[in-house]
């Protein structure tokens, strides 16, 4: 598996991943609505470049670099890396976000993805690394517990207008 910048070679596979995951991930910003494919298929790569440069972002969002996890020419998941953080992202969001295709979960892809992300963050000289997740997202926090975190915060934060138990890991 490799972490690559999105490219047209994988667009059809990415679209299939969006179909599979739409409505099943907590943050649809990390994937595209497959029902709107005709609206984004020709602009997606320019949009990713603009987002990496901090352009055309929703209010409150910072520059983020998108990578696709690819194995044997198949889209496995998406990683978003945020080179800088604001207070809101330190509170909830963190340095990176990952989504793995539903059909590829519980097969070790999340662990491999985090290893690749840590390597990429080191290459980009991004530190500290902060990862957050809802307390109910056991897959994410079990993954973090596997890696050598420096500090863990258990706290409550506002997510979608509701106080929600969460975890924050500092690497």
């Amino acid at each position: 598996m490799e972490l690559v910048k999105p490219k047209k070679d994988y667009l059809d596979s990415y679209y299939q991943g969006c179909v599979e995951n739409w409505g099943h991930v907590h943050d649809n910003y990390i994937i595209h609505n497959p029902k709107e494919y005709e609206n984004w298929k020709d602009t997606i790569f320019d949009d990713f470049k603009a987002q990496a440069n901090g352009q055309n972002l929703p209010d409150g969002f910072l520059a983020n670099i998108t990578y696709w996890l690819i194995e044997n020419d198949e889209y496995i998941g998406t990683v978003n890396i945020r080179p800088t953080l604001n207070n809101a992202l330190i509170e909830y969001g963190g340095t990176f976000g990952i989504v793995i295709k539903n059909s590829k979960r519980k097969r070790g892809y999340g662990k491999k993805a985090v290893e690749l992300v840590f390597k990429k963050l080191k290459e980009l000289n991004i530190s500290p690394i902060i990862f957050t997740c809802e307390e109910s997202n056991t897959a994410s926090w079990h993954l973090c517990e596997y890696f050598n975190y420096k500090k863990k915060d258990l706290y409550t934060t506002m997510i979608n207008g509701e106080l929600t138990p969460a975890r924050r890991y500092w690497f």
Side-chain angles (χ1 to χ4, degrees):
M1 186 167 69
E2 60 184 325
L3 198 59
V4 301
K5 291 276 185 107
K7 59 183 181 176
K8 290 182 183 182
D9 296 354
Y10 307 121
L11 184 59
D12 290 339
S13 186
Y14 172 71
Y15 168 76
Q16 292 304 319
C18 291
V19 169
E20 186 175 317
N21 277 31
W22 190 254
H24 299 286
V25 295
H26 68 281
D27 185 355
N28 289 329
Y29 182 74
I30 202 164
I31 62 171
H32 287 79
N33 183 341
K35 292 179 183 174
E36 296 177 9
Y37 177 71
E38 291 301 320
N39 296 331
W40 55 259
K41 70 177 177 139
D42 295 324
T43 61
I44 185 173
F45 303 105
D46 290 335
D47 291 346
F48 285 146
K49 286 179 189 173
Q51 291 168 7
N53 291 320
Q55 302 166 338
N56 305 326
L57 297 171
D59 287 342
F61 280 66
L62 297 178
N64 63 85
I65 307 164
T66 298
Y67 294 94
W68 286 346
L69 297 158
I70 302 294
E71 182 178 66
N72 300 324
D73 292 331
E74 179 186 0
Y75 167 85
I76 303 296
T78 297
V79 172
N80 281 106
I81 293 177
R82 301 165 197 104
T84 60
L85 299 178
N86 57 19
N87 288 336
L89 286 170
I90 291 170
E91 175 69 20
Y92 189 79
T95 308
F96 66 96
I98 296 177
V99 63
I100 302 294
K101 233 170 54 167
N102 285 345
S103 61
K104 298 295 183 178
R105 292 182 180 178
K106 297 186 180 192
R107 296 183 183 185
Y109 286 104
K111 187 184 297 181
K112 180 64 176 166
V114 172
E115 290 170 355
L116 291 170
V117 168
F118 284 169
K119 182 179 177 184
K120 181 61 72 177
L121 291 168
K122 186 175 183 177
E123 288 172 15
L124 296 170
N125 200 29
I126 296 174
S127 180
I129 300 168
I130 299 171
F131 182 82
T132 67
C133 62
E134 294 178 30
E135 178 71 23
S136 62
N137 187 345
T138 56
S140 286
W141 65 260
H142 280 173
L143 189 59
C144 286
E145 298 281 327
Y146 174 83
F147 289 95
N148 211 9
Y149 61 88
K150 294 178 183 173
K151 180 182 169 188
K152 173 175 71 175
D153 300 323
L154 303 175
Y155 64 107
T156 303
T157 189
M158 291 295 281
I159 301 174
N160 297 323
E162 294 184 25
L163 279 175
T164 305
R167 291 176 177 232
R168 179 175 36 235
Y169 294 88
W170 302 72
F171 296 90

